[in-house]
Amino acid sequence: MNFTVRVPATTANLGPGFDCLGLALDLWNEAEFCFEGEGICVEIHGEGAEALSKKPDNLILTAFFRLLHHLGAPKPRGVRLRVQNHVPVGSGLGSSASAVVAGLLAARAWSGIDVPAERLLDVAVSLEGHADNASAALFGGLTVSVNTPKGWLVERFEPAPMQMVVVLPQFSLSTRSARLALPALLEHGDAVFNLGRTALVVEALRRGDLELLGRVMDDRLHQPYRLPLIPGAQDALWAAKEAGAAAVALSGAGPSIIAFPYQDPEPVAHAMQTAFQKQGMPARVFYLRSTPLGAQIVS
């Protein structure tokens, strides 16, 4: 049995939707599984090829074997994994969620057990720590994820086709560092500030209403604490708006910034790049669109 899993990049938080909102993007990682011989062989191409583990602790394989263990399913004697990455590692575009979801879908296919996507998400969260990127990667489109006493509840919305610009500075910001920057306590007013805006971000993305999105993409729960960690990030955010972006936010925990331009995305991209470069920070540009598609077995 051989097959390939495709998983989209994702952006999470989307301004006020901290740890709740996720959006699938039309940028894909592919993981080809071949079950032959004995032992494990990992081959990685593209983004992260030099940095990611090629040993059994590779995150895709960790997720793969974690689900097989949960299911009580037999393990293959040999796994040949060939990965083609287009999602930058440590970028705020869900690269780790992509790896986890790829491993889970592969394990479901190998086991032959019809595991519901909700259960896959539970396992993904046990590895990721939160559900926003993983749910968007699994289900595609725009997702809202809520942890309930009965498990994770995910509502999926069909986003309007939208173009986005993601600018990724050459700066390393670990998820742990981004988490530690957040305060232990929040003001009641700040929570209220985010609540209504989160609901309206969902509606704006569903309708493709850029004017509304620009009015509600503000945040008080995480961006004020994370933007100062990334040299040039606050300036890049302001520059994007001045150059014609309707809305701008940190993508996930950063360091990338995602902008939703009204029209031509290039001036927005150039403005953000320039802001980072003024801080001595080279930056890459990705012109992306939302996608309704989630992770899938393609062969």
Side-chain angles (χ1 to χ4, degrees), residues 169 171 173 226-234 250 253-257 276 281:
F171 180 77
L173 178 65
R226 289 172 166 173
L227 283 170
L229 302 178
I230 308 165
Q234 183 65 73
L250 273 176
S256 61
I257 292 185
F276 280 119
M281 200 74 59

Side-chain angles (χ1 to χ4, degrees), residues 282-299:
R284 301 163 63 190
V285 174
F286 297 82
Y287 297 101
L288 303 175
R289 290 187 173 272
S290 57
T291 177
L293 301 177
Q296 54 199 283
I297 305 285
V298 295
S299 63

Side-chain angles (χ1 to χ4, degrees), residues 6-25:
R6 295 183 78 232
V7 188
T10 53
T11 183
N13 297 330
L14 293 164
F18 179 63
D19 274 5
C20 298
L21 299 187
L23 180 66
L25 304 174

Side-chain angles (χ1 to χ4, degrees), residues 23-198:
L23 180 66
L25 304 174
D26 195 18
L27 181 70
W28 300 80
N29 283 349
E30 295 186 351
E32 179 184 349
F33 285 81
C34 298
F35 302 98
E36 57 187 22
E38 295 187 2
I40 289 172
C41 177
V42 180
E43 184 181 329
I44 301 174
H45 300 274
E47 300 286 346
E50 301 302 321
L52 296 173
S53 174
K54 300 176 180 66
K55 298 179 180 179
D57 64 351
N58 177 279
L59 188 53
I60 297 175
L61 293 177
T62 298
F64 176 82
F65 288 114
R66 175 75 64 90
L67 182 59
L68 292 184
H69 175 75
H70 276 274
L71 297 175
K75 297 179 181 180
R77 294 178 60 186
V79 181
R80 301 290 182 268
L81 173 63
R82 184 180 185 277
V83 182
Q84 181 66 55
N85 284 335
H86 294 100
V87 182
V89 175
S91 61
L93 291 173
S95 63
S96 62
S98 171
V100 168
V101 169
L104 296 179
L105 258 65
R108 180 170 69 178
W110 161 260
S111 71
I113 300 173
D114 187 17
V115 186
E118 291 76 10
R119 188 173 178 188
L120 294 183
L121 183 60
D122 287 337
V123 180
V125 173
S126 73
L127 291 164
E128 275 278 281
H130 43 91
D132 46 9
N133 289 104
S135 61
L138 268 172
F139 296 99
L142 173 66
T143 56
V144 182
S145 306
V146 179
N147 196 6
T148 76
K150 294 184 178 181
W152 283 96
L153 172 65
V154 177
E155 188 70 24
R156 181 190 176 280
F157 298 87
E158 191 79 12
M162 301 180 77
Q163 64 175 354
M164 286 150 269
V165 176
V166 174
V167 174
L168 172 61
Q170 189 176 311
F171 180 77
S172 178
L173 178 65
S174 70
T175 301
R176 183 173 183 273
S177 297
R179 289 274 164 184
L180 289 174
L182 302 180
L185 299 175
L186 293 166
E187 295 288 339
H188 186 271
D190 290 342
V192 173
F193 179 93
N194 274 48
L195 283 171
R197 283 168 173 78
T198 300

